[in-house]
Structure formats: C-alpha cells, structure tokens
C-alpha cells in the first residue's frame, strides 16, 4: 500500500514537474486554446497571402508583362512600375487616403475631447456620429450622388440662393471620393480616439490647471502627448481602410483617370484581363505601400512616451 | 510671486449635485500660514469644499475671498493655489524634474531661476537623486513627494491637499505625515488638508473643521475637538467609541446622573441620554463610576491591550488596559465623571467605523 501510494505520489510529482518545466519556458497547456484562432488565421490569411505571393512571381504566359518583359519571376512587377498608367495608381491612392485618414484623425480629436465627460444627450450625439459606420460604402456613395450630384439638393440650394451660376462638381471626381472616405472613415477614427482619450486620467488636466495651465496649454502639454501614440494607431488603421478604397472610387469618382486607385487596377487585371498573377503582384505592391506608411508612423510613435496614462485602463 | 496672504474667507459656500446639497452654508476663515484640516466621513462634503477652493467645481452659492479679492469666479489656473491629489496626478510622460518645473514653465519663470527653484524643492522633499526618473519608476511614497514638491514649488498662497496619504501603506503614511508637517513648518504655507483620518488631522492641523452631510459640526484646535467634542457625531468621530444609552436620573448644571453613571452634560437632554466614553479613559480598578465587566476579547498591542468587555446589563464596552487580562476575567473598571460626555440620545451619531 505504502509503495503504491509512494509511486502514485512520484507520478504526480513528475506531472507537476513537467508542468513546472513548461511554465519555466513560458508555456502553458491552456495555450492550446489558441489553436482554433491560429488555424483560422493560417487558413484565411497566411495561406491566401503566401499563395498570392508565389502567384505574383509566376507571370501568366501570353500576358502583356510576359510579352514585354519575358517570363522571369519579376515580369509583373516590372510591368507595373514601367507602365505609368499602373504606376501612378499608387500616387492617386495615396493622394486620397493620406489626406482622408489625416483629416479623420485630426477632426476626431476636438470632438472626442468634448465628448469625454458625462452630459445630457451624449448617447444621441455619439449615435449620430457613429451611424455612418453601419452604412456600407455603396449606400454612402448613393447618398452622396443624390445629395451632392449635379442635380442634388446641395447644388439646387446653392443655385437657388445664388451663390453659384452653374452646378458645382462635387462628385465623379477627386472630391467625391474624398468626401466618401471621410463620411465612412470618421466614425471609426472618432470611436478609437474617444477610447484612447477616456483612458487618460482627467485629474491630470485638473492638476495642470491648478499649476496655472490654461485650456490650450493643458491640451498641448498634457493631453496631446499622452494621446499621440493612440492617434498614431488610429491614423494607421484609418489609412489602411482608406487605401483599399474601391466602390466609392468607381461610384462617386472618376475611375478611369482622377480616381483610378490601385484596387481598381488590381480588379481590372483580375476580372477583366483574367491575369491573376498580375493582380496578385498589384495586391502585393498595395500591401508593401501600406506597410511602408505604417512603418513610418510606428517609427515616429516609438519615439513618444507610451506608458500608462493613469486612466481607467 | 508674493505668496503671503493674511486671510482666506469662505462665506456661506454651498454646492449641490443634482439638487442634493454636498456642502451647505460653509463659513470658514483661514489665517495666513495656518494648517486647517477638513475632517469627516466619506460624503461629508470635505472634498467638495476643497475642489470649490481649487476652482475645479463651481459654487452653487456663497463666495470665497482672498483678502479683499473675490476668487470663486476666477478659473483654477489663475488662482495660484497648489493642489496635491489623492492619486498624485503626476504627469506620466514627464520626468520628476519636468513635473515639478511644469508650474514654473506655465508661469514663464526664467530658466536659471526655474532650475534653482526645482532643485530647492527636490532637496526639500529629498528626491535629488531621482530628478531624472519618470513617475512610473518611483514608489508610492516618492510619487507623493513629487506631488507635494510640484504643488509647493510655486510658493502658492494656498496649498490644498486631498487625502494625500490614503493610498500609502501604514508605515509610509506615518513617515509622510511627519514630512508634511516638516514642510509646513519650514515654508509656513497656508494649507487646507482633507482627510477622513482623525489621527492624521489631529497630528497635522492647527485647526480642525468637522463636517457632516455638508454642514460644519465643530471648528477648533485639535485639543479642543479632542477633549470637548461639540456633539455626539464629533465625539464618535474623535474616538469616543463607547456609547451607552441610559435614562436620565438627574441633571445639575453640567453634571448629570444616568442610572449609576456620573457624567458631564454637553448639550440639552431629554428623557434618555447617551454617555460617550473613550476606551483609554477607563482604568482597571476601583474608582469613580466603578462597574463590573466580563472580559470577552483581548488584543495584545504592545504596551497596552485593547479589551472588549460586557457590562452586567449586557452593554458592550471597549477599553484599554495595561494590566494583563484574559477572556473570562471579571474585573472592575472606573472612569472619571469629567471623561463621561453626555449627549442627547436623538442627536446624530458618527458612522459605525471610521476609516
């Protein structure tokens, strides 16, 4: 009996020891619970990404790229950067997405700043500010056409009041797409900024006030430095959303010239020329541009204070 | 920046939240250099009063005067008061030096002058070696010192402290208490200190203000409040832990007889009165107001023991005894009549347990 009990105890010891040894290396059996998520990411992100990556190095025989630049692995990339009609889509897209994301982030700060505290009607105002996020881009574009198009209410109003003689072109050009990016992107930036702001302890500003700082100095020296890392992240996410603009570039933009964004080029290659490797190459270039911009922003962010902000966490 | 004031006056200061008064007709005059503690249980209005003084809360009524200048309409950044917050509210993205220099920077004090004053403040709070650290790298006590240095570096006409020691552990709290006292003695800055800890208030303040439900209960020197509490609430708050409710037998001027107990009357009485007695005023042995009690619980506390006992009539008593007692002992205890304070039974009591 005694030896049996001893053996059982030593087995238990060994088991404990294994668990402890794993714990020493930072492993825990509950980590297995992450497995579904890992499978999900591998199946839905990593595999398609790697597949697209290798596809982009296998130019399609008979395609324009192969005819001009041979069948080497970089023919599609070569073709993209050699052809101004393709190459310029990067600038076209950046010209839309950078100002759009920047505007959304900057505009969200004062509004979120006012919306921090508790006041009557806060929920109503938040709802109004956030509703556009629930509308699809297509619906937003439809609305823009009806409201800001040549015969839309806005132009009719401007004409009736006599501010303009001819309808102003707000749509089917650069501005139409930018408006659409702002309408659909602002709620997102606002919600993120609001959550970052409410993580900042409000007594910090009160302390600054008792030390003689006026509202602008309080914002400039206390709130803004603590908020800046969050604004960096908000900008990155807003930018990525805006960079992949597609439906509104077609519906309220000028998709063959002014707003021929990079996703239109990819769509064109994939579903009009049926050149999937070219489309993959464009998608890879798209990802690379996004990574470069995010890398720059995160590089800037790493130079800021990023510790606790003393808030509710 | 000249900082001496001769007088700070609060006149009928009131503040209500959603119609519920948190502070009601608060009158107080603070002399320059004085250390005043606002004391009371949570929800008594002491923090409200402090925030009104700082300008962080607008008044619902009344006015605040600094000498001849009305200041309750001045925004906080123009009042020139220093404030120490309960959670310290240090700026996490600035070094210790940056935190302390912030007010000087806002006041556009010259670089060399600012440097000198920050150094002075740092040595006053004994943090010279930590000047370049960030608040996150400091212990609670050190953070508290930074908060104090930041508030006093401007030599403000008034220093406001909102329960500055409540987040520290017991040992550090004692140390910082001495520190605050030392700094006040060194600089002589007029200070208003909010706390719920009577011991802290007694040891620091020149004058105590006891608040309950937004109303002043008593204002006085620590000794007056301690020995002569104005009412049952103040008595309970100042450590008169034993409250015996007894019928009034006879009243002759100040001396009262309640059953077998002789006491001192503190206010007009009805049929039934409450005798308030401090645990440390009991002595074990025969004497005035002798009574037999059964010892129930004994806590060893070094020089003394904290004893819980029960009288023959079943009332629970708290007392302190030097003599070694054990549970189950039956002993005689006594208390001098002048240490038995008698209040009307219907006057409001202090909350059950304070802090």
């Amino acid at each position: 009996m005694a030896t049996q009990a001893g053996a059982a105890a030593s087995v238990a010891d060994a088991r404990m020891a294994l668990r402890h040894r794993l714990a020493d290396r930072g492993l825990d059996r509950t980590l297995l619970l992450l497995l579904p998520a890992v499978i999900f990411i591998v199946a839905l992100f990593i595999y398609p990404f790697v597949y697209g990556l290798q596809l982009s190095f296998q130019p399609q025989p008979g395609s324009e790229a192969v005819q001009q630049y041979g069948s080497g692995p970089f023919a599609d990339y070569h073709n993209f950067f050699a052809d101004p009609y393709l190459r310029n889509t990067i600038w076209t897209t950046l010209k839309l997405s950078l100002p759009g994301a920047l505007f959304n982030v900057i505009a969200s700060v004062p509004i979120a700043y006012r919306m921090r505290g508790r006041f009557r009607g806060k929920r109503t105002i938040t709802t109004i500010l956030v509703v556009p996020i629930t509308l699809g881009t297509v619906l937003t574009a439809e609305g823009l056409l009806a409201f800001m198009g040549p015969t839309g209410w806005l132009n009719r109003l401007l004409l009736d009041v006599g501010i303009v003689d001819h309808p102003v072109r707000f749509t089917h050009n650069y501005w139409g797409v930018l408006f659409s990016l702002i309408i659909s992107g602002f709620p997102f930036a606002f919600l993120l900024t609001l959550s970052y702001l409410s993580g900042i302890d409000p007594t910090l500003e009160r302390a600054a006030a008792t030390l003689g700082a006026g509202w602008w100095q309080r914002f400039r020296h206390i709130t803004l430095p603590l908020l800046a890392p969050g604004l960096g992240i908000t900008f990155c996410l807003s930018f990525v959303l805006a960079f992949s603009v597609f439906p509104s570039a077609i519906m309220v933009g000028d998709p063959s010239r002014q707003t021929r964004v990079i996703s239109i080029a990819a769509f064109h290659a994939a579903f009009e020329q049926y050149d999937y490797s070219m489309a993959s190459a464009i998608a890879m270039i798209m990802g690379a541009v996004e990574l470069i911009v995010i890398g720059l922003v995160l590089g800037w962010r790493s130079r800021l204070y990023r510790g606790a902000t003393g808030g509710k966490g | 920046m000249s900082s001496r004031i001769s007088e700070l006056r609060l006149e009928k200061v009131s503040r209500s939240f959603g119609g519920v008064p948190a502070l009601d007709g608060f009158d107080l005059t603070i002399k320059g250099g004085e250390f005043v503690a606002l004391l009371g249980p949570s929800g008594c209005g002491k923090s409200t009063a402090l925030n009104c003084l700082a300008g962080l809360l607008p008044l619902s009524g009344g006015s605040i005067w600094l000498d001849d200048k009305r200041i309750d309409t001045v925004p906080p950044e123009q009042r020139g008061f220093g404030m120490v917050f309960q959670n310290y509210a240090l700026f996490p993205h600035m070094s210790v030096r940056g935190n302390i220099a912030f007010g000087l920077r806002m006041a556009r004090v010259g670089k060399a002058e600012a440097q000198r004053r920050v150094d002075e403040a740092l040595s006053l709070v004994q943090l010279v070696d930590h000047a370049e650290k960030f608040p996150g790298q400091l212990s609670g006590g050190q953070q508290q010192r930074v908060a104090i240095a930041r508030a006093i570096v401007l030599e403000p006409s008034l220093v406001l402290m909102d329960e500055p020691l409540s987040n520290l552990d017991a040992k550090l709290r004692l140390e910082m208490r001495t520190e605050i006292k030392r700094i006040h003695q060194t600089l002589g800055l007029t200070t208003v200190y909010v706390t719920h800890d009577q011991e802290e208030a007694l040891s620091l303040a020149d004058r105590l203000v006891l608040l309950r439900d937004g109303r002043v209960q008593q204002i006085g020197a620590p000794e007056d409040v301690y020995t002569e509490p104005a009412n049952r609430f103040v008595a309970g708050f100042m450590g008169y832990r034993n409250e015996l409710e007894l019928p009034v037998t006879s009243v002759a001027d100040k001396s009262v007889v309640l059953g077998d107990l002789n006491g001192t009357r503190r206010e007009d009485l009805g049929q039934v009165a409450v005798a308030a007695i401090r645990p440390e005023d009991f002595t074990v042995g025969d004497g005035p107001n002798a009574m037999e009690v059964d010892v129930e619980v004994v806590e060893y506390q070094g020089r003394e023991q904290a004893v819980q006992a029960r009288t023959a009539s079943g009332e629970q008593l708290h007392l302190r005894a030097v003599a070694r007692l054990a549970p189950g002992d039956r002993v005689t205890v006594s208390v001098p009549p002048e240490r038995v304070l008698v209040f009307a039974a219907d006057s409001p009591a202090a909350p059950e347990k304070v802090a």
Side-chain angles (χ1 to χ4, degrees), chain A residues 141-142 144-145 170-173 176-177 180 247-254:
Chain A
E142 287 278 1
L144 268 178
L145 285 177
F170 292 112
T171 53
H172 297 299
N173 59 9
V177 182
S180 140
S248 58
I250 291 177
M251 293 181 67
V252 288
D254 174 15

Side-chain angles (χ1 to χ4, degrees), chain A residues 200-215 217-218 220-226 304-310, chain B residues 51 54 56 76-78 80-83 85 87-94 99 102-108 134 150-151 153-154:
Chain A
I200 298 175
D201 181 1
T203 53
L204 294 181
E205 276 205 46
R206 277 186 234 153
T210 62
L211 291 166
W215 74 267
Q217 289 167 314
R218 296 201 288 270
R220 168 73 193 76
H221 296 294
I222 309 300
T223 309
L224 190 58
L226 294 174
L304 303 173
Y305 169 82
R306 275 173 305 157
T309 49
Chain B
N51 283 314
L56 299 172
E77 60 266 28
Q78 287 164 27
F81 295 168
M83 183 152 173
F85 292 81
N87 66 352
Y88 320 138
L90 298 181
F91 308 134
H93 59 301
M94 295 183 194
N99 266 281
F102 185 81
L104 297 166
R105 219 166 105 204
M106 293 301 114
R108 298 187 195 287
F134 283 83
R150 186 177 70 176
V153 72
L154 289 164

